[in-house]
Amino acid sequence: MKTTAQSRELITIWGDEMYLRGTYHRCADDDSAGDRGGKRPIGILLLNYGTTPRSGPGDSLVHWADSFSKLGYPSFRFDLPGLGDSTGELPKDVLGYVSRVTASGYTRTVSGIVETITDRFGLQGVIIAGICAGAVAGLFAAVACEKVEGLLLFTPYFFLQNFSTARETIHRWGVESRVGRVLRVVYRHVKPLVRRTALPPNANVPLIRCWQRIASRELPVFVWNRDENLGNFDYMKYLRANSPRGNIVYRRVDFPSFVEGIGRHVVQQELAGWLRDHFPVIQETPAVEEPVTCSEDRRVH
Amino acid sequence: MLTKSGYEIAENTPESAEYLEFEGVHLYTVLHSALNPVARVLLVGPFASERNYSYAPWVQWARYLAKRHIETLRFDYRGVGESTGAFEDMTISRWSEDVEFLASRLQSRSPSVPLVLHGLELGALLASRAFKAGIGRAVLLWAPPNTANEVLRAALLRQVAGDQAFKDNAARRPLSAFVQQLEQDQPVEVEGYPLTGRLWRESFELKLLLTADGECSGGHGRRSWRSVTLGRNTRPLVGPAGLRFTDIINPDLSDLFRDNFDWLAGVLDAK
């Protein structure tokens, strides 16, 4: 049975009565546990984007994992329980899934994956990358697992999705309806006058505490956010004001999508710079002779 | 090696994922093994952008069949998902070759065990084409469109709708502009996949070849086919899902599964 395809290898982890299926993107100089100048490599674990399989929308996660591995960071994509090829229970609807994520329901699983790949592939530690729900799951796991060395968070949300206040309902209407979108533009101008400073009742307080602990530990974090994900409360502003400064880079998203068009290109460029600054690779790794050229940015501009 | 959390790398799993080398790329396949299989089914999945939505119920169907002694193989087309290859190089013909290659491979595991093709959406068209070419004892078609172009057009429409919701006025374009771009052989990015003019043109030529349920004679006796229209209650097998909190991601498809399994069992018994 062939579980390798040049730069990729299929791996399965068994834990908590579940098979968790993943794909490992090797670096060019990787012999599974490559020792580079006495320093073990840092791996990157990409979690599911929403409820999509581990390849992500438009196979964006495949693309990023390939690009990270070319930079010298062994990369891993895993399906969380019930998603993609992994076994385990999958909630009936999106809200059920998101509620489980926001209640720290995948922390043990993500920590188990991090520990297993760290041991198996001789990594120094792992950076968790997650979009939306994946970002929330990664943040919880970073506190629970000491082998997490950094976080790449795309639009994490700090409120409970199943706890909808009247303001949240109005906000959602503002995002999803045409009239609402017009009113939202107007509201933006008066928002600074009515902005609250205390956390709203549906804030995910345990997650906010996780953030504060991560900031205290000075764990390198790169976080992207966009207005839609802030709800009607600017969590990023709150977190900046109420957490240690830490080692956190904040970016506001100014493109429509992470996974297509210019967004995919921008993400790749920005993250490459951040990775080099915080987790320098001892030896530059030449690119693997790669069978994959999926979604190269040459088509995007 | 067991970690502190009790998790470990699994060497042997009941569902075997592997890469199969074909035409210079690696096709990602997952075999759902069955004890003493009475049949083997090749699941031919939907178009790339639909794959994300339908993945969970598609996997569940494979597991459902495997539990009932029907060994099942599912896969990603070249250039899509876990398979290697560049999407922009793909054509309908290449995906047809993937189907024929894997059907042949599955059949060769034990030629006496009947092979069934089962296609969903674009996969239904590819499966019907392979069946017409003499592959398989039976073919099951879920939500077959009339042509592959309907599938691409639906993906384009979703892109247009998404652009309307999230992009600036300047970046919003009507469907006709995308179509014109494709006809001029310029790629269009749809839900992260670069549609090419070549794929667009070819999509008109892949048509549904089996229009109703039926039977015919073949080299190995009777050959049967069945076409099933999937309603909204089967989402996300067809149509986008996962975009709103109320979207179902794990529907109860037991009636659909039972009904189609019964048909398969009947067809296989009647040989």
Side-chain angles (χ1 to χ4, degrees), chain B residues 166-259:
Chain B
F166 298 110
K167 287 188 178 170
D168 297 336
N169 276 338
R172 294 177 188 163
R173 300 162 65 203
L175 177 67
S176 57
F178 286 117
V179 171
Q180 189 179 20
Q181 192 174 329
L182 286 166
E183 286 170 348
Q184 290 168 353
D185 229 1
Q186 292 166 3
V188 169
E189 188 175 9
V190 176
E191 297 176 314
Y193 294 100
L195 284 194
T196 60
R198 184 172 50 171
L199 189 64
W200 178 257
R201 285 191 300 278
E202 245 196 319
S203 71
F204 290 99
E205 292 158 23
L206 181 61
K207 294 176 181 166
L208 182 60
L209 301 173
L210 303 163
T211 51
D213 302 2
E215 281 188 343
C216 64
S217 298
H220 304 283
R222 305 297 295 171
R223 301 175 77 225
S224 309
W225 68 88
R226 184 189 207 203
S227 178
V228 178
T229 303
L230 298 181
R232 290 177 69 87
N233 60 337
T234 63
R235 277 192 175 195
L237 258 179
V238 284
L243 307 175
R244 292 167 188 267
F245 292 135
T246 50
D247 280 356
I248 301 293
I249 52 174
N250 185 17
D252 177 7
L253 296 174
S254 48
D255 287 346
L256 177 76
F257 287 179
R258 195 179 311 112
D259 179 53

Side-chain angles (χ1 to χ4, degrees), chain A residues 72-87:
Chain A
Y73 305 92
S75 299
F76 302 82
R77 295 177 288 111
F78 265 88
D79 285 321
L80 290 176
L83 297 177
D85 296 319
S86 291
T87 61

